[in-house]
Amino acid sequence: MNSVEQMNKNLSRSSAKAGIFFIGLAVLVFLLKSFTGYTNVTKVGTYDNCSVITYSEEYRSSRGGSYRVYYMEISQKVDKELETDFSKIYEDPENYNIFEESEKNSDGDVEEKVLFKRTVPYLMYRKFDSYDLDKVTLYKTSWGRIFPVDKPSCGRAEAERIYRLYDPPVLWYAFYAGNIILGLILLSAARKSKKTAENYDAGKVYEPEFKFDCTEDALVGLAHARIQREKAEALRQRRRRYGRGSYSSFNRYFDDNDRF
Protein backbone atom coordinates (compact mmCIF):
# COMPACT_ATOMS: atom_id res chain seq x y z
CA MET A 1 0.00 0.00 0.00
CA ASN A 2 1.55 3.29 -1.09
CA SER A 3 1.30 6.57 0.76
CA VAL A 4 -1.36 8.07 -1.54
CA GLU A 5 -3.64 5.06 -1.05
CA GLN A 6 -3.16 5.15 2.72
CA MET A 7 -3.83 8.91 2.85
CA ASN A 8 -7.10 8.59 0.91
CA LYS A 9 -8.25 5.68 3.06
CA ASN A 10 -7.60 7.67 6.24
CA LEU A 11 -9.36 10.68 4.74
CA SER A 12 -12.34 8.51 3.77
CA ARG A 13 -12.68 7.09 7.29
CA SER A 14 -12.37 10.52 8.93
CA SER A 15 -14.90 12.12 6.58
CA ALA A 16 -17.37 9.27 7.07
CA LYS A 17 -17.12 9.48 10.87
CA ALA A 18 -17.58 13.26 10.82
CA GLY A 19 -20.56 13.01 8.44
CA ILE A 20 -22.28 10.39 10.62
CA PHE A 21 -21.57 12.52 13.71
CA PHE A 22 -23.23 15.67 12.32
CA ILE A 23 -26.26 13.80 10.99
CA GLY A 24 -26.62 11.88 14.25
CA LEU A 25 -26.32 15.11 16.25
CA ALA A 26 -29.14 16.71 14.24
CA VAL A 27 -31.39 13.68 14.70
CA LEU A 28 -30.63 13.39 18.44
CA VAL A 29 -31.31 17.07 19.17
CA PHE A 30 -34.47 16.98 17.06
CA LEU A 31 -35.85 14.01 19.01
CA LEU A 32 -34.88 15.62 22.32
CA LYS A 33 -36.54 18.96 21.49
CA SER A 34 -39.63 17.15 20.22
CA PHE A 35 -40.17 15.80 23.74
CA THR A 36 -38.98 18.76 25.81
CA GLY A 37 -40.32 21.49 23.54
CA TYR A 38 -38.80 24.70 22.20
CA THR A 39 -40.72 27.26 24.26
CA ASN A 40 -41.66 27.33 27.94
CA VAL A 41 -45.40 28.03 28.15
CA THR A 42 -47.65 28.38 31.20
CA LYS A 43 -51.41 28.36 31.49
CA VAL A 44 -53.08 31.72 32.07
CA GLY A 45 -56.54 30.31 32.70
CA THR A 46 -59.73 28.87 31.23
CA TYR A 47 -62.60 31.36 30.88
CA ASP A 48 -66.35 30.75 30.56
CA ASN A 49 -68.99 32.82 28.76
CA CYS A 50 -66.55 33.79 26.02
CA SER A 51 -67.14 34.84 22.44
CA VAL A 52 -64.55 34.71 19.66
CA ILE A 53 -64.61 37.15 16.75
CA THR A 54 -62.31 36.75 13.74
CA TYR A 55 -62.03 39.07 10.76
CA SER A 56 -59.52 40.10 8.13
CA GLU A 57 -58.73 43.26 6.21
CA GLU A 58 -56.91 43.79 2.95
CA TYR A 59 -54.31 46.55 2.62
CA ARG A 60 -52.40 48.02 -0.29
CA SER A 61 -48.62 47.82 -0.23
CA SER A 62 -46.25 50.57 -1.33
CA ARG A 63 -45.36 48.56 -4.45
CA GLY A 64 -48.92 48.43 -5.70
CA GLY A 65 -49.74 44.94 -4.44
CA SER A 66 -52.05 43.90 -1.65
CA TYR A 67 -51.79 41.85 1.52
CA ARG A 68 -54.29 40.61 4.09
CA VAL A 69 -54.05 41.01 7.86
CA TYR A 70 -55.96 38.71 10.21
CA TYR A 71 -57.44 39.80 13.53
CA MET A 72 -58.99 37.97 16.45
CA GLU A 73 -60.79 39.19 19.54
CA ILE A 74 -61.82 37.11 22.57
CA SER A 75 -64.13 38.69 25.09
CA GLN A 76 -65.88 37.41 28.19
CA LYS A 77 -69.27 38.39 29.55
CA VAL A 78 -69.08 39.26 33.25
CA ASP A 79 -71.56 40.76 35.67
CA LYS A 80 -70.89 44.28 36.75
CA GLU A 81 -70.05 44.88 40.35
CA LEU A 82 -72.82 46.38 42.48
CA GLU A 83 -72.40 50.13 42.77
CA THR A 84 -73.40 51.16 46.26
CA ASP A 85 -74.18 54.79 46.94
CA PHE A 86 -72.84 55.19 50.46
CA SER A 87 -73.99 58.83 50.66
CA LYS A 88 -77.63 57.72 50.48
CA ILE A 89 -77.02 55.21 53.25
CA TYR A 90 -75.85 57.97 55.59
CA GLU A 91 -78.50 60.47 54.44
CA ASP A 92 -81.53 58.18 54.57
CA PRO A 93 -80.57 54.84 56.16
CA GLU A 94 -84.18 53.85 56.84
CA ASN A 95 -85.45 54.20 53.24
CA TYR A 96 -82.33 53.12 51.31
CA ASN A 97 -82.34 49.32 50.94
CA ILE A 98 -79.15 47.95 49.45
CA PHE A 99 -80.81 44.66 48.50
CA GLU A 100 -83.55 46.39 46.50
CA GLU A 101 -80.93 48.41 44.63
CA SER A 102 -79.00 45.28 43.75
CA GLU A 103 -82.16 43.73 42.28
CA LYS A 104 -82.71 46.83 40.17
CA ASN A 105 -79.17 46.69 38.79
CA SER A 106 -79.17 42.95 38.16
CA ASP A 107 -81.32 43.09 35.00
CA GLY A 108 -79.09 43.37 31.94
CA ASP A 109 -76.15 44.54 34.00
CA VAL A 110 -73.46 42.66 32.03
CA GLU A 111 -70.23 43.97 30.53
CA GLU A 112 -67.73 42.61 27.98
CA LYS A 113 -64.20 42.00 29.23
CA VAL A 114 -61.60 41.74 26.46
CA LEU A 115 -59.20 38.86 27.07
CA PHE A 116 -57.33 38.82 23.77
CA LYS A 117 -57.29 41.25 20.85
CA ARG A 118 -54.51 41.46 18.25
CA THR A 119 -53.35 40.45 14.81
CA VAL A 120 -52.79 36.72 14.47
CA PRO A 121 -51.12 34.34 11.99
CA TYR A 122 -53.34 32.78 9.35
CA LEU A 123 -53.11 29.34 11.00
CA MET A 124 -54.55 30.72 14.25
CA TYR A 125 -57.21 32.63 12.33
CA ARG A 126 -58.23 29.47 10.50
CA LYS A 127 -58.44 27.42 13.73
CA PHE A 128 -60.74 29.93 15.42
CA ASP A 129 -62.72 31.07 12.39
CA SER A 130 -65.48 28.54 13.14
CA TYR A 131 -64.94 28.28 16.92
CA ASP A 132 -68.36 27.77 18.53
CA LEU A 133 -67.49 27.00 22.17
CA ASP A 134 -68.15 29.47 24.98
CA LYS A 135 -65.03 28.40 26.89
CA VAL A 136 -61.49 29.50 25.92
CA THR A 137 -58.11 28.59 27.40
CA LEU A 138 -55.19 31.01 27.21
CA TYR A 139 -51.48 30.30 27.56
CA LYS A 140 -48.46 32.58 27.61
CA THR A 141 -44.79 32.18 26.77
CA SER A 142 -41.88 32.88 29.09
CA TRP A 143 -41.54 36.37 27.60
CA GLY A 144 -45.23 37.19 28.14
CA ARG A 145 -46.86 36.55 24.76
CA ILE A 146 -50.44 35.35 25.31
CA PHE A 147 -52.07 32.99 22.81
CA PRO A 148 -55.32 30.98 22.80
CA VAL A 149 -55.66 27.26 22.13
CA ASP A 150 -58.60 25.70 20.33
CA LYS A 151 -59.11 23.01 23.00
CA PRO A 152 -60.23 24.21 26.47
CA SER A 153 -58.70 21.13 28.12
CA CYS A 154 -55.37 21.51 26.29
CA GLY A 155 -52.29 20.57 28.36
CA ARG A 156 -48.95 22.37 28.47
CA ALA A 157 -47.13 20.03 26.07
CA GLU A 158 -49.90 20.23 23.49
CA ALA A 159 -50.09 24.01 23.90
CA GLU A 160 -46.36 24.26 23.18
CA ARG A 161 -46.80 22.25 19.99
CA ILE A 162 -49.68 24.50 18.94
CA TYR A 163 -47.59 27.61 19.57
CA ARG A 164 -44.82 26.03 17.49
CA LEU A 165 -47.17 26.17 14.49
CA TYR A 166 -47.80 29.88 15.00
CA ASP A 167 -44.18 30.82 15.67
CA PRO A 168 -41.84 28.13 14.26
CA PRO A 169 -38.34 27.83 15.82
CA VAL A 170 -36.55 28.85 12.62
CA LEU A 171 -33.07 28.91 14.14
CA TRP A 172 -33.41 25.36 15.40
CA TYR A 173 -34.68 24.21 11.99
CA ALA A 174 -31.67 25.92 10.38
CA PHE A 175 -29.42 24.05 12.83
CA TYR A 176 -30.92 20.71 11.76
CA ALA A 177 -30.68 21.51 8.06
CA GLY A 178 -27.09 22.78 8.35
CA ASN A 179 -25.89 19.69 10.20
CA ILE A 180 -27.61 17.30 7.80
CA ILE A 181 -26.24 19.10 4.72
CA LEU A 182 -22.72 19.18 6.21
CA GLY A 183 -22.99 15.49 7.06
CA LEU A 184 -24.06 14.58 3.52
CA ILE A 185 -21.18 16.61 2.06
CA LEU A 186 -18.70 14.78 4.30
CA LEU A 187 -20.17 11.40 3.37
CA SER A 188 -19.89 12.28 -0.31
CA ALA A 189 -16.25 13.32 0.21
CA ALA A 190 -15.60 10.03 2.04
CA ARG A 191 -17.01 8.09 -0.90
CA LYS A 192 -14.79 9.94 -3.38
CA SER A 193 -11.70 9.39 -1.23
CA LYS A 194 -12.52 5.70 -1.01
CA LYS A 195 -12.74 5.43 -4.80
CA THR A 196 -9.42 7.25 -5.16
CA ALA A 197 -7.81 4.85 -2.70
CA GLU A 198 -9.20 1.88 -4.64
CA ASN A 199 -7.63 3.24 -7.86
CA TYR A 200 -4.23 3.15 -6.16
CA ASP A 201 -4.75 -0.41 -4.97
CA ALA A 202 -2.48 -3.23 -6.23
CA GLY A 203 -2.84 -3.76 -9.98
CA LYS A 204 -4.94 -0.62 -10.49
CA VAL A 205 -2.30 2.07 -10.62
CA TYR A 206 -2.28 3.69 -14.05
CA GLU A 207 1.21 3.98 -15.47
CA PRO A 208 2.02 6.65 -18.07
CA GLU A 209 2.57 5.56 -21.67
CA PHE A 210 6.22 6.55 -21.59
CA LYS A 211 8.86 7.77 -19.19
CA PHE A 212 11.76 10.14 -19.69
CA ASP A 213 15.18 8.60 -19.25
CA CYS A 214 16.67 11.65 -17.60
CA THR A 215 15.89 15.20 -16.48
CA GLU A 216 17.36 16.72 -19.65
CA ASP A 217 14.96 14.73 -21.85
CA ALA A 218 12.03 15.85 -19.72
CA LEU A 219 13.07 19.51 -20.06
CA VAL A 220 13.44 19.12 -23.84
CA GLY A 221 9.99 17.57 -24.04
CA LEU A 222 8.45 20.40 -22.02
CA ALA A 223 10.16 23.01 -24.19
CA HIS A 224 8.93 21.27 -27.34
CA ALA A 225 5.37 21.21 -26.02
CA ARG A 226 5.56 24.88 -25.10
CA ILE A 227 6.79 25.87 -28.58
CA GLN A 228 4.00 23.85 -30.20
CA ARG A 229 1.39 25.58 -28.03
CA GLU A 230 2.77 29.01 -28.88
CA LYS A 231 2.78 28.28 -32.62
CA ALA A 232 -0.73 26.90 -32.49
CA GLU A 233 -1.94 29.99 -30.68
CA ALA A 234 -0.19 32.30 -33.19
CA LEU A 235 -1.79 30.38 -36.07
CA ARG A 236 -5.26 30.71 -34.52
CA GLN A 237 -4.78 34.44 -34.09
CA ARG A 238 -3.67 34.90 -37.73
CA ARG A 239 -6.62 32.90 -39.01
CA ARG A 240 -9.03 34.96 -36.94
CA ARG A 241 -7.42 38.14 -38.24
CA TYR A 242 -7.42 37.25 -41.97
CA GLY A 243 -10.47 35.03 -42.01
CA ARG A 244 -10.80 31.28 -41.96
CA GLY A 245 -12.49 31.00 -45.34
CA SER A 246 -9.59 32.25 -47.51
CA TYR A 247 -6.59 29.97 -47.65
CA SER A 248 -4.12 32.16 -49.56
CA SER A 249 -0.50 31.59 -50.31
CA PHE A 250 0.25 33.87 -47.39
CA ASN A 251 -1.44 31.42 -45.02
CA ARG A 252 0.15 28.44 -46.76
CA TYR A 253 3.57 30.01 -46.28
CA PHE A 254 3.07 30.22 -42.55
CA ASP A 255 1.55 26.72 -42.42
CA ASP A 256 4.59 25.28 -44.15
CA ASN A 257 6.92 27.06 -41.79
CA ASP A 258 4.94 26.03 -38.71
CA ARG A 259 6.10 22.46 -39.00
CA PHE A 260 8.74 21.71 -36.41
Side-chain angles (χ1 to χ4, degrees):
M1 181 184 296
N2 55 41
S3 59
V4 178
E5 180 184 358
Q6 183 64 41
M7 180 186 68
N8 281 276
K9 283 188 175 181
N10 294 336
L11 182 61
S12 176
R13 284 193 294 266
S14 300
S15 299
K17 290 179 180 179
I20 294 173
F21 169 78
F22 283 109
I23 294 177
L25 178 64
V27 173
L28 180 63
V29 175
F30 174 77
L31 294 176
L32 180 63
K33 298 299 289 185
S34 297
F35 286 104
T36 60
Y38 295 85
T39 306
N40 184 22
V41 298
T42 55
K43 186 176 181 179
V44 178
T46 300
Y47 303 90
D48 297 320
N49 301 323
C50 294
S51 61
V52 179
I53 300 174
T54 57
Y55 61 96
S56 63
E57 293 182 358
E58 188 172 355
Y59 297 93
R60 303 289 296 181
S61 64
S62 58
R63 297 184 178 180
S66 61
Y67 62 96
R68 186 168 293 275
V69 179
Y70 301 94
Y71 300 89
M72 187 168 69
E73 179 179 343
I74 301 175
S75 58
Q76 182 188 28
K77 294 181 181 180
V78 294
D79 295 331
K80 287 185 178 180
E81 295 182 358
L82 176 63
E83 295 181 359
T84 304
D85 192 347
F86 292 98
S87 62
K88 290 184 179 181
I89 295 177
Y90 291 113
E91 292 176 359
D92 192 5
E94 295 182 357
N95 296 325
Y96 186 81
N97 191 332
I98 188 173
F99 298 104
E100 291 180 358
E101 293 296 329
S102 63
E103 291 178 357
K104 294 178 183 178
N105 295 333
S106 62
D107 298 334
D109 202 6
V110 178
E111 65 178 354
E112 296 281 343
K113 180 181 179 181
V114 178
L115 301 176
F116 180 89
K117 184 178 181 181
R118 66 182 59 176
T119 60
V120 296
Y122 174 72
L123 289 177
M124 183 183 295
Y125 169 84
R126 189 177 65 181
K127 279 181 175 291
F128 286 89
D129 189 29
S130 58
Y131 192 81
D132 55 356
L133 301 178
D134 62 348
K135 182 180 295 185
V136 178
T137 299
L138 298 178
Y139 276 83
K140 70 176 180 179
T141 63
S142 56
W143 56 89
R145 178 177 294 175
I146 298 176
F147 65 96
V149 292
D150 57 336
K151 296 179 181 179
S153 59
C154 181
R156 191 195 67 82
E158 187 176 1
E160 192 276 332
R161 287 193 294 269
I162 293 174
Y163 180 77
R164 201 185 308 168
L165 296 176
Y166 305 150
D167 187 15
V170 180
L171 294 179
W172 281 105
Y173 292 163
F175 170 79
Y176 302 144
N179 277 270
I180 291 175
I181 292 174
L182 180 59
L184 293 176
I185 292 174
L186 290 170
L187 290 178
S188 177
R191 184 179 179 183
K192 292 181 180 178
S193 298
K194 183 178 179 181
K195 287 185 176 181
T196 303
E198 290 176 352
N199 289 336
Y200 280 93
D201 198 358
K204 295 184 179 180
V205 178
Y206 297 99
E207 298 290 340
E209 296 181 358
F210 64 93
K211 294 183 178 179
F212 295 106
D213 295 332
C214 59
T215 306
E216 288 77 9
D217 292 343
L219 294 175
V220 171
L222 292 175
H224 174 74
R226 181 178 60 81
I227 293 172
Q228 290 297 99
R229 287 197 303 270
E230 291 177 353
K231 287 188 175 182
E233 180 62 26
L235 179 61
R236 284 194 296 269
Q237 292 180 0
R238 287 196 297 270
R239 286 182 176 176
R240 283 197 299 267
R241 182 180 304 171
Y242 296 104
R244 295 181 179 180
S246 61
Y247 190 77
S248 60
S249 59
F250 180 77
N251 290 17
R252 188 179 295 108
Y253 169 79
F254 280 102
D255 290 346
D256 294 338
N257 287 274
D258 280 336
R259 299 188 182 91
F260 184 74

